[in-house]
Coordinates of all heavy atoms in Angstrom, one line a residue:
M1 N 117.3 62.6 92.0 CA 116.2 61.7 91.8 C 115.7 61.7 90.4 O 115.3 60.7 89.9 CB 115.1 62.0 92.9 CG 115.5 61.6 94.3 SD 114.2 61.8 95.5 CE 113.3 60.3 95.2
R2 N 115.6 62.9 89.8 CA 115.1 63.0 88.5 C 116.0 62.2 87.5 O 115.5 61.5 86.7 CB 115.1 64.5 88.0 CG 113.8 65.1 88.1 CD 113.8 66.5 87.6 NE 113.4 67.4 88.6 CZ 114.1 68.4 89.2 NH1 115.3 68.7 88.7 NH2 113.6 69.1 90.2
A3 N 117.3 62.4 87.7 CA 118.3 61.6 86.8 C 118.1 60.1 87.0 O 118.1 59.4 86.0 CB 119.7 62.1 87.1
L4 N 118.0 59.7 88.2 CA 117.9 58.3 88.5 C 116.5 57.8 87.9 O 116.5 56.7 87.4 CB 118.0 58.0 90.0 CG 118.1 56.6 90.4 CD1 119.3 55.9 89.7 CD2 118.2 56.5 91.9
R5 N 115.5 58.6 88.0 CA 114.2 58.2 87.5 C 114.3 58.0 86.0 O 113.8 57.0 85.4 CB 113.1 59.2 87.8 CG 111.7 58.8 87.3 CD 110.7 59.8 87.7 NE 110.4 59.8 89.1 CZ 110.3 60.8 89.9 NH1 110.4 62.0 89.4 NH2 110.1 60.7 91.2
T6 N 114.9 58.9 85.3 CA 115.1 58.8 83.9 C 115.9 57.6 83.5 O 115.5 56.8 82.6 CB 115.9 60.1 83.4 OG1 115.1 61.2 83.7 CG2 116.1 60.0 81.9
T7 N 116.9 57.3 84.3 CA 117.8 56.1 84.0 C 116.9 54.8 84.2 O 117.0 53.9 83.4 CB 119.0 56.1 85.0 OG1 119.7 57.2 84.7 CG2 119.8 54.8 84.7
R8 N 116.1 54.8 85.3 CA 115.3 53.6 85.6 C 114.3 53.4 84.5 O 114.0 52.3 84.1 CB 114.6 53.8 86.9 CG 115.5 53.7 88.1 CD 114.7 53.9 89.4 NE 114.1 52.7 89.9 CZ 113.2 52.7 90.9 NH1 112.9 53.8 91.5 NH2 112.7 51.5 91.3
E9 N 113.7 54.5 84.0 CA 112.6 54.4 83.0 C 113.2 54.0 81.6 O 112.5 53.3 80.9 CB 111.9 55.7 82.9 CG 111.0 56.0 84.1 CD 110.4 57.4 84.1 OE1 110.7 58.2 83.2 OE2 109.6 57.7 85.0
S10 N 114.4 54.4 81.3 CA 115.0 54.1 80.0 C 115.8 52.8 80.0 O 116.2 52.4 78.9 CB 115.8 55.3 79.6 OG 116.9 55.4 80.4
S11 N 116.1 52.3 81.2 CA 117.0 51.2 81.2 C 116.2 49.9 81.1 O 115.2 49.7 81.8 CB 117.7 51.2 82.6 OG 118.5 50.0 82.7
S12 N 116.6 49.0 80.3 CA 116.0 47.7 80.2 C 116.9 46.7 80.8 O 116.7 45.5 80.8 CB 115.7 47.3 78.7 OG 116.9 47.3 78.0
D13 N 118.1 47.2 81.4 CA 119.0 46.2 82.0 C 118.5 45.7 83.3 O 117.7 46.3 84.0 CB 120.3 47.0 82.3 CG 121.0 47.5 81.1 OD1 120.7 47.0 80.0 OD2 121.9 48.4 81.2
D14 N 118.9 44.5 83.5 CA 118.5 43.8 84.8 C 119.6 44.2 85.8 O 120.5 43.4 86.1 CB 118.4 42.3 84.6 CG 117.9 41.6 85.8 OD1 117.6 42.3 86.8 OD2 117.9 40.4 85.8
D15 N 119.5 45.4 86.3 CA 120.6 45.9 87.2 C 120.7 45.2 88.5 O 121.6 45.3 89.3 CB 120.5 47.4 87.4 CG 119.5 47.7 88.5 OD1 118.4 47.2 88.4 OD2 119.8 48.6 89.3
E16 N 119.6 44.4 88.9 CA 119.6 43.7 90.2 C 120.6 42.6 90.2 O 121.0 42.2 91.3 CB 118.2 43.2 90.5 CG 117.1 44.2 90.5 CD 117.3 45.2 91.7 OE1 117.8 44.8 92.7 OE2 116.8 46.3 91.5
H17 N 121.1 42.2 89.1 CA 122.1 41.2 89.0 C 123.5 41.7 88.7 O 124.4 41.0 88.4 CB 121.7 40.1 88.0 CG 120.5 39.4 88.5 ND1 119.2 39.7 88.0 CD2 120.2 38.5 89.5 CE1 118.3 38.9 88.6 NE2 118.9 38.2 89.5
D18 N 123.6 43.0 88.7 CA 125.0 43.6 88.4 C 125.8 43.6 89.7 O 125.5 44.1 90.7 CB 124.8 45.1 88.0 CG 126.1 45.8 87.7 OD1 127.1 45.1 87.8 OD2 126.0 46.9 87.2
P19 N 126.9 42.8 89.6 CA 127.7 42.7 90.8 C 128.5 44.0 91.1 O 129.1 44.1 92.2 CB 128.7 41.5 90.4 CG 128.8 41.6 89.0 CD 127.4 42.1 88.5
E20 N 128.6 44.9 90.2 CA 129.3 46.1 90.4 C 128.4 47.2 91.0 O 127.5 47.6 90.4 CB 129.9 46.6 89.1 CG 130.9 45.6 88.4 CD 132.1 45.4 89.3 OE1 132.6 46.3 89.9 OE2 132.6 44.2 89.2
G21 N 128.8 47.7 92.2 CA 128.1 48.8 92.8 C 126.7 48.6 93.2 O 126.1 47.5 93.0
P22 N 126.0 49.7 93.6 CA 124.6 49.5 94.1 C 123.7 49.4 92.9 O 123.9 49.9 91.8 CB 124.4 50.9 94.8 CG 125.3 51.8 94.2 CD 126.5 51.0 93.8
T23 N 122.5 48.8 93.1 CA 121.5 48.7 92.1 C 120.8 50.0 92.0 O 120.9 50.8 93.0 CB 120.5 47.6 92.4 OG1 119.9 47.9 93.7 CG2 121.2 46.2 92.6
L24 N 120.1 50.2 91.0 CA 119.3 51.4 90.8 C 118.2 51.5 91.9 O 118.0 52.6 92.5 CB 118.6 51.5 89.5 CG 119.5 51.6 88.2 CD1 118.6 51.6 87.0 CD2 120.2 52.9 88.3
S25 N 117.7 50.4 92.3 CA 116.7 50.4 93.4 C 117.3 50.8 94.7 O 116.7 51.6 95.5 CB 116.0 49.0 93.5 OG 115.3 48.7 92.4
S26 N 118.4 50.2 95.0 CA 119.0 50.6 96.3 C 119.5 52.1 96.3 O 119.4 52.8 97.3 CB 120.2 49.7 96.7 OG 121.3 49.9 95.8
E27 N 120.0 52.5 95.1 CA 120.4 53.9 95.0 C 119.1 54.8 95.2 O 119.2 55.9 95.8 CB 121.1 54.2 93.7 CG 121.6 55.6 93.5 CD 122.8 55.9 94.5 OE1 123.2 55.0 95.3 OE2 123.2 57.0 94.5
W28 N 118.0 54.4 94.6 CA 116.8 55.2 94.7 C 116.4 55.3 96.2 O 116.0 56.3 96.7 CB 115.7 54.5 93.9 CG 114.3 55.2 94.0 CD1 113.3 54.9 94.9 CD2 113.9 56.3 93.3 NE1 112.3 55.8 94.7 CE2 112.6 56.7 93.8 CE3 114.5 57.1 92.3 CZ2 111.9 57.7 93.3 CZ3 113.7 58.2 91.8 CH2 112.5 58.5 92.3
S29 N 116.4 54.1 96.9 CA 116.1 54.1 98.3 C 117.0 55.0 99.1 O 116.5 55.7 100.0 CB 116.1 52.7 98.9 OG 115.2 51.9 98.2
R30 N 118.3 55.0 98.8 CA 119.2 55.8 99.6 C 118.9 57.3 99.3 O 118.8 58.1 100.3 CB 120.7 55.5 99.1 CG 121.7 56.2 99.9 CD 123.1 56.0 99.3 NE 123.3 56.6 98.0 CZ 123.6 57.9 97.9 NH1 123.8 58.7 99.0 NH2 123.8 58.5 96.7
I31 N 118.7 57.7 98.1 CA 118.5 59.1 97.8 C 117.1 59.5 98.4 O 117.0 60.6 98.9 CB 118.5 59.3 96.2 CG1 120.0 59.1 95.8 CG2 118.0 60.7 95.9 CD1 120.1 59.1 94.2
R32 N 116.1 58.7 98.3 CA 114.8 59.0 98.8 C 114.9 59.2 100.4 O 114.3 60.1 100.9 CB 113.8 57.9 98.5 CG 112.5 58.1 99.1 CD 111.4 58.0 98.1 NE 110.1 58.2 98.7 CZ 109.5 59.4 98.8 NH1 110.1 60.4 98.3 NH2 108.3 59.5 99.3
G33 N 115.7 58.4 101.0 CA 115.9 58.6 102.5 C 116.6 59.9 102.8 O 116.2 60.6 103.7
L34 N 117.6 60.3 102.0 CA 118.3 61.6 102.2 C 117.3 62.7 101.9 O 117.3 63.7 102.7 CB 119.4 61.7 101.2 CG 120.6 60.8 101.4 CD1 121.6 60.9 100.3 CD2 121.3 61.1 102.8
M35 N 116.4 62.6 100.9 CA 115.5 63.6 100.6 C 114.4 63.8 101.8 O 114.1 64.9 102.2 CB 114.7 63.3 99.3 CG 113.8 64.5 98.8 SD 112.8 64.0 97.5 CE 111.5 63.1 98.3
L36 N 114.0 62.7 102.3 CA 113.0 62.7 103.4 C 113.6 63.3 104.6 O 113.0 64.2 105.3 CB 112.4 61.3 103.7 CG 111.6 60.7 102.6 CD1 111.2 59.3 102.9 CD2 110.3 61.6 102.3
A37 N 114.9 63.0 104.9 CA 115.6 63.6 106.0 C 115.7 65.1 105.9 O 115.6 65.9 106.8 CB 116.9 62.9 106.2
A38 N 116.1 65.5 104.6 CA 116.2 66.9 104.4 C 114.9 67.7 104.5 O 114.9 68.8 105.0 CB 116.8 67.1 103.0
E39 N 113.8 67.0 104.1 CA 112.5 67.6 104.3 C 112.2 67.8 105.8 O 111.6 68.8 106.1 CB 111.4 66.8 103.6 CG 111.5 66.9 102.1 CD 110.5 66.0 101.4 OE1 109.8 65.2 102.0 OE2 110.4 66.1 100.1
V40 N 112.5 66.8 106.6 CA 112.2 66.9 108.0 C 113.0 68.1 108.6 O 112.5 68.9 109.4 CB 112.6 65.6 108.7 CG1 112.6 65.8 110.2 CG2 111.6 64.5 108.4
R41 N 114.3 68.2 108.2 CA 115.2 69.3 108.7 C 114.6 70.7 108.3 O 114.6 71.6 109.0 CB 116.6 69.1 108.3 CG 117.3 68.0 109.0 CD 118.9 68.1 108.8 NE 119.3 68.0 107.4 CZ 119.5 66.9 106.8 NH1 119.3 65.8 107.3 NH2 119.9 67.0 105.5
R42 N 114.2 70.7 107.0 CA 113.6 72.0 106.5 C 112.3 72.4 107.3 O 112.2 73.5 107.7 CB 113.2 71.8 105.0 CG 112.6 73.1 104.4 CD 111.8 72.8 103.2 NE 110.7 71.8 103.5 CZ 110.1 71.0 102.7 NH1 110.5 71.0 101.4 NH2 109.2 70.2 103.1
D43 N 111.5 71.4 107.5 CA 110.2 71.7 108.3 C 110.6 72.1 109.7 O 109.9 73.0 110.2 CB 109.4 70.4 108.3 CG 108.8 70.1 106.9 OD1 108.9 70.9 106.0 OD2 108.3 69.0 106.8
E44 N 111.6 71.5 110.3 CA 112.0 71.9 111.7 C 112.5 73.3 111.7 O 112.2 74.1 112.6 CB 113.0 70.9 112.2 CG 112.5 69.6 112.6 CD 113.6 68.6 113.0 OE1 114.8 68.9 112.8 OE2 113.2 67.5 113.5
A45 N 113.3 73.7 110.6 CA 113.8 75.0 110.5 C 112.7 76.0 110.3 O 112.7 77.1 110.9 CB 114.9 75.1 109.4
D46 N 111.8 75.7 109.4 CA 110.6 76.6 109.2 C 109.8 76.8 110.5 O 109.4 78.0 110.8 CB 109.7 76.0 108.1 CG 110.2 76.1 106.7 OD1 111.2 76.8 106.5 OD2 109.7 75.4 105.8
A47 N 109.6 75.8 111.3 CA 108.9 75.9 112.5 C 109.7 76.7 113.5 O 109.1 77.6 114.2 CB 108.6 74.5 113.1
A48 N 111.0 76.6 113.6 CA 111.8 77.4 114.5 C 111.7 78.9 114.1 O 111.6 79.7 114.9 CB 113.3 76.9 114.5
L49 N 111.8 79.1 112.8 CA 111.7 80.5 112.3 C 110.4 81.1 112.6 O 110.3 82.3 113.0 CB 112.0 80.6 110.8 CG 113.4 80.3 110.4 CD1 113.5 80.2 108.9 CD2 114.3 81.5 110.9
E50 N 109.3 80.3 112.6 CA 108.0 80.8 112.9 C 107.9 81.1 114.4 O 107.3 82.1 114.8 CB 107.0 79.7 112.6 CG 105.5 80.1 112.6 CD 104.6 79.0 112.1 OE1 104.8 78.5 111.0 OE2 103.6 78.7 112.8
R51 N 108.5 80.2 115.2 CA 108.5 80.5 116.7 C 109.3 81.8 117.0 O 108.9 82.6 117.8 CB 109.1 79.3 117.5 CG 108.2 78.1 117.4 CD 108.6 77.0 118.5 NE 110.0 76.6 118.3 CZ 110.3 75.6 117.4 NH1 109.4 75.0 116.7 NH2 111.6 75.2 117.3
L52 N 110.4 82.0 116.2 CA 111.2 83.2 116.4 C 110.4 84.4 116.1 O 110.4 85.4 116.8 CB 112.5 83.1 115.5 CG 113.5 84.1 115.7 CD1 114.1 84.1 117.1 CD2 114.6 84.0 114.6
A53 N 109.7 84.4 115.0 CA 108.9 85.5 114.5 C 107.8 85.9 115.5 O 107.4 87.0 115.7 CB 108.3 85.3 113.1
E54 N 107.3 84.8 116.2 CA 106.2 85.0 117.2 C 106.7 85.2 118.6 O 105.9 85.4 119.5 CB 105.3 83.7 117.1 CG 104.6 83.5 115.8 CD 103.9 82.1 115.8 OE1 104.2 81.3 116.6 OE2 103.1 81.9 114.8
G55 N 108.0 85.3 118.8 CA 108.6 85.5 120.1 C 108.5 84.3 121.0 O 108.6 84.5 122.2
R56 N 108.3 83.1 120.4 CA 108.2 81.9 121.3 C 109.5 81.0 121.2 O 109.5 80.0 121.7 CB 107.0 81.1 120.8 CG 105.7 81.8 121.0 CD 104.5 80.9 120.7 NE 104.5 80.5 119.2 CZ 104.5 79.3 118.8 NH1 104.5 78.3 119.6 NH2 104.5 79.0 117.5
Y57 N 110.5 81.5 120.4 CA 111.7 80.7 120.2 C 112.4 80.5 121.5 O 112.5 81.5 122.3 CB 112.6 81.4 119.2 CG 113.9 80.6 118.9 CD1 113.9 79.5 118.1 CD2 115.1 80.9 119.6 CE1 115.0 78.8 117.8 CE2 116.2 80.2 119.3 CZ 116.2 79.1 118.4 OH 117.3 78.3 118.2
G58 N 112.9 79.3 121.8 CA 113.6 79.0 123.0 C 112.7 78.6 124.2 O 113.2 78.4 125.3
T59 N 111.4 78.6 124.0 CA 110.5 78.1 125.0 C 110.0 76.7 124.6 O 109.5 76.5 123.5 CB 109.3 79.1 125.1 OG1 109.8 80.4 125.4 CG2 108.3 78.6 126.2
C60 N 110.1 75.8 125.6 CA 109.6 74.4 125.3 C 108.2 74.4 125.0 O 107.3 75.0 125.7 CB 109.9 73.6 126.6 SG 109.4 71.9 126.4
L61 N 107.8 73.7 123.9 CA 106.5 73.6 123.5 C 105.6 72.7 124.4 O 104.4 72.8 124.4 CB 106.4 73.1 122.0 CG 106.9 73.9 120.9 CD1 106.7 73.3 119.6 CD2 106.3 75.3 120.9
S62 N 106.3 71.9 125.2 CA 105.6 70.9 126.0 C 105.3 71.5 127.4 O 104.2 71.6 127.9 CB 106.3 69.6 126.1 OG 105.7 68.7 127.0
C63 N 106.4 72.0 128.1 CA 106.3 72.4 129.5 C 106.3 73.9 129.6 O 105.9 74.5 130.7 CB 107.3 71.8 130.3 SG 109.0 72.4 130.0
G64 N 106.7 74.7 128.6 CA 106.7 76.1 128.6 C 107.9 76.7 129.3 O 108.0 78.0 129.4
R65 N 108.8 75.9 129.8 CA 110.0 76.4 130.4 C 111.1 76.8 129.3 O 111.0 76.3 128.2 CB 110.6 75.4 131.4 CG 109.8 75.2 132.6 CD 110.4 74.2 133.6 NE 110.4 72.9 132.9 CZ 110.8 71.7 133.4 NH1 111.3 71.7 134.6 NH2 110.7 70.6 132.8
P66 N 112.0 77.6 129.7 CA 113.1 77.9 128.7 C 113.9 76.7 128.3 O 114.2 75.8 129.1 CB 114.0 78.9 129.4 CG 113.2 79.4 130.5 CD 112.2 78.3 130.9
I67 N 114.3 76.6 127.0 CA 115.2 75.6 126.5 C 116.6 76.1 126.8 O 116.9 77.2 126.5 CB 114.9 75.3 125.0 CG1 113.5 74.9 124.8 CG2 115.9 74.3 124.5 CD1 113.1 74.7 123.3
A68 N 117.4 75.2 127.4 CA 118.8 75.6 127.7 C 119.5 76.1 126.5 O 119.4 75.6 125.4 CB 119.5 74.4 128.3
A69 N 120.3 77.2 126.7 CA 121.1 77.8 125.6 C 122.0 76.8 125.0 O 122.1 76.8 123.7 CB 121.9 79.0 126.2
G70 N 122.6 75.9 125.7 CA 123.5 74.9 125.2 C 122.8 74.0 124.2 O 123.3 73.6 123.2
R71 N 121.5 73.7 124.6 CA 120.7 72.8 123.7 C 120.4 73.5 122.4 O 120.5 73.0 121.3 CB 119.4 72.4 124.4 CG 118.5 71.5 123.5 CD 117.5 70.8 124.3 NE 116.4 70.2 123.5 CZ 116.6 69.1 122.8 NH1 117.7 68.5 122.6 NH2 115.5 68.6 122.1
L72 N 120.0 74.8 122.5 CA 119.7 75.6 121.3 C 121.0 75.8 120.4 O 120.9 75.9 119.2 CB 119.1 76.9 121.7 CG 117.7 76.8 122.2 CD1 117.2 78.2 122.7 CD2 116.7 76.2 121.2
E73 N 122.1 75.9 121.1 CA 123.3 76.1 120.4 C 123.7 74.8 119.6 O 124.1 74.9 118.4 CB 124.5 76.4 121.3 CG 125.7 77.0 120.7 CD 126.7 77.5 121.7 OE1 126.3 78.2 122.6 OE2 127.9 77.1 121.6
A74 N 123.5 73.7 120.2 CA 123.7 72.4 119.6 C 122.7 72.1 118.5 O 122.9 71.5 117.5 CB 123.8 71.3 120.6
R75 N 121.4 72.4 118.8 CA 120.3 72.1 118.0 C 119.4 73.3 117.9 O 118.4 73.3 118.6 CB 119.6 70.8 118.5 CG 118.6 70.3 117.5 CD 118.1 68.9 117.9 NE 117.1 68.5 116.9 CZ 115.9 68.0 117.2 NH1 115.6 67.8 118.4 NH2 115.1 67.8 116.2
P76 N 119.7 74.2 117.0 CA 118.9 75.5 117.0 C 117.4 75.3 116.7 O 116.6 76.2 117.0 CB 119.5 76.3 115.8 CG 120.9 75.7 115.7 CD 120.8 74.2 116.1
T77 N 117.0 74.2 116.1 CA 115.6 73.9 115.8 C 114.9 73.2 116.9 O 113.7 72.9 116.8 CB 115.4 73.1 114.5 OG1 116.1 71.9 114.7 CG2 116.0 73.9 113.3
A78 N 115.5 73.0 118.1 CA 114.9 72.3 119.2 C 113.6 73.0 119.6 O 113.6 74.2 119.8 CB 115.8 72.2 120.3
A79 N 112.5 72.2 119.7 CA 111.2 72.7 120.1 C 110.9 72.3 121.5 O 109.9 72.8 122.1 CB 110.2 72.3 119.2
L80 N 111.7 71.3 122.1 CA 111.5 70.8 123.4 C 112.7 70.9 124.3 O 113.8 70.8 123.7 CB 111.1 69.3 123.3 CG 109.8 69.0 122.5 CD1 109.7 67.5 122.4 CD2 108.6 69.6 123.2
C81 N 112.5 71.1 125.6 CA 113.7 71.1 126.5 C 114.2 69.7 126.6 O 113.5 68.7 126.1 CB 113.3 71.7 127.8 SG 112.2 70.6 128.8
V82 N 115.4 69.5 127.2 CA 116.0 68.2 127.3 C 115.1 67.2 128.0 O 114.9 66.1 127.6 CB 117.3 68.3 128.0 CG1 117.9 66.9 128.3 CG2 118.3 69.1 127.1
D83 N 114.5 67.7 129.1 CA 113.6 66.8 129.9 C 112.4 66.3 129.1 O 112.1 65.1 129.1 CB 113.1 67.5 131.2 CG 114.2 67.7 132.2 OD1 115.3 67.1 132.1 OD2 114.1 68.6 133.1
C84 N 111.8 67.2 128.4 CA 110.6 66.8 127.6 C 111.0 66.0 126.4 O 110.2 65.1 126.0 CB 109.8 68.1 127.2 SG 109.0 68.9 128.6
A85 N 112.1 66.3 125.8 CA 112.6 65.5 124.7 C 112.9 64.1 125.1 O 112.8 63.2 124.3 CB 113.8 66.2 124.0
A86 N 113.4 63.9 126.3 CA 113.7 62.6 126.8 C 112.4 61.8 127.0 O 112.3 60.6 126.9 CB 114.5 62.6 128.1
Ligands
ZN1 ZN1 109.9 71.0 128.4

Protein backbone atom coordinates (compact mmCIF):
# COMPACT_ATOMS: atom_id res chain seq x y z
CA MET A 1 0.00 0.00 0.00
CA ARG A 2 2.92 2.32 0.74
CA ALA A 3 4.36 1.74 -2.74
CA LEU A 4 1.00 2.24 -4.37
CA ARG A 5 0.39 5.42 -2.37
CA THR A 6 3.75 6.78 -3.53
CA THR A 7 2.91 5.91 -7.12
CA ARG A 8 -0.51 7.54 -6.87
CA GLU A 9 0.92 10.71 -5.31
CA SER A 10 3.72 11.06 -7.85
CA SER A 11 1.74 10.04 -10.89
CA SER A 12 0.11 12.66 -13.05
CA ASP A 13 -1.02 10.02 -15.53
CA ASP A 14 -4.67 9.52 -16.11
CA ASP A 15 -4.53 5.82 -15.33
CA GLU A 16 -8.30 5.48 -15.35
CA HIS A 17 -8.14 5.40 -19.13
CA ASP A 18 -5.28 2.93 -19.38
CA PRO A 19 -6.67 -0.13 -21.18
CA GLU A 20 -3.82 -2.28 -19.87
CA GLY A 21 -4.34 -3.91 -16.49
CA PRO A 22 -6.04 -2.60 -13.37
CA THR A 23 -6.15 1.09 -12.55
CA LEU A 24 -4.33 2.40 -9.51
CA SER A 25 -7.70 2.99 -7.86
CA SER A 26 -8.89 -0.56 -8.39
CA GLU A 27 -5.54 -1.92 -7.23
CA TRP A 28 -5.79 0.28 -4.13
CA SER A 29 -9.27 -1.07 -3.41
CA ARG A 30 -8.12 -4.66 -3.90
CA ILE A 31 -5.12 -4.27 -1.58
CA ARG A 32 -7.18 -2.40 1.00
CA GLY A 33 -9.70 -5.25 1.00
CA LEU A 34 -6.93 -7.78 1.54
CA MET A 35 -5.52 -5.67 4.37
CA LEU A 36 -8.88 -5.36 6.11
CA ALA A 37 -9.48 -9.11 5.80
CA ALA A 38 -6.04 -9.79 7.27
CA GLU A 39 -6.80 -7.44 10.17
CA VAL A 40 -10.03 -9.33 10.89
CA ARG A 41 -8.14 -12.66 10.88
CA ARG A 42 -5.47 -11.19 13.16
CA ASP A 43 -8.09 -9.89 15.60
CA GLU A 44 -9.85 -13.29 15.61
CA ALA A 45 -6.53 -15.03 16.31
CA ASP A 46 -5.71 -12.58 19.11
CA ALA A 47 -9.13 -13.19 20.67
CA ALA A 48 -8.69 -16.97 20.40
CA LEU A 49 -5.27 -16.75 22.08
CA GLU A 50 -6.82 -14.65 24.84
CA ARG A 51 -9.56 -17.25 25.40
CA LEU A 52 -6.87 -19.96 25.45
CA ALA A 53 -4.87 -18.09 28.10
CA GLU A 54 -8.02 -17.65 30.18
CA GLY A 55 -9.03 -21.30 29.86
CA ARG A 56 -12.15 -20.45 27.85
CA TYR A 57 -10.93 -21.71 24.46
CA GLY A 58 -13.35 -24.15 22.82
CA THR A 59 -16.37 -22.89 24.73
CA CYS A 60 -19.09 -21.13 22.76
CA LEU A 61 -19.29 -17.47 23.71
CA SER A 62 -23.04 -17.46 23.09
CA CYS A 63 -24.46 -20.63 24.68
CA GLY A 64 -21.52 -21.80 26.80
CA ARG A 65 -21.49 -25.30 25.34
CA PRO A 66 -18.30 -26.88 23.97
CA ILE A 67 -17.43 -26.10 20.36
CA ALA A 68 -17.07 -29.35 18.39
CA ALA A 69 -13.47 -30.46 17.87
CA GLY A 70 -14.04 -30.71 14.11
CA ARG A 71 -15.14 -27.09 13.98
CA LEU A 72 -12.08 -25.96 15.93
CA GLU A 73 -9.88 -28.08 13.71
CA ALA A 74 -11.34 -26.45 10.61
CA ARG A 75 -11.53 -22.98 12.13
CA PRO A 76 -9.26 -22.65 15.18
CA THR A 77 -10.43 -19.11 15.89
CA ALA A 78 -14.12 -20.08 16.10
CA ALA A 79 -15.79 -18.35 19.04
CA LEU A 80 -19.24 -19.81 18.47
CA CYS A 81 -20.56 -23.37 18.11
CA VAL A 82 -22.11 -24.35 14.79
CA ASP A 83 -25.66 -23.85 16.08
CA CYS A 84 -24.99 -20.34 17.41
CA ALA A 85 -22.93 -19.38 14.35
CA ALA A 86 -25.87 -20.37 12.13
ZN1 LIG B 1 -23.28 -21.92 20.98
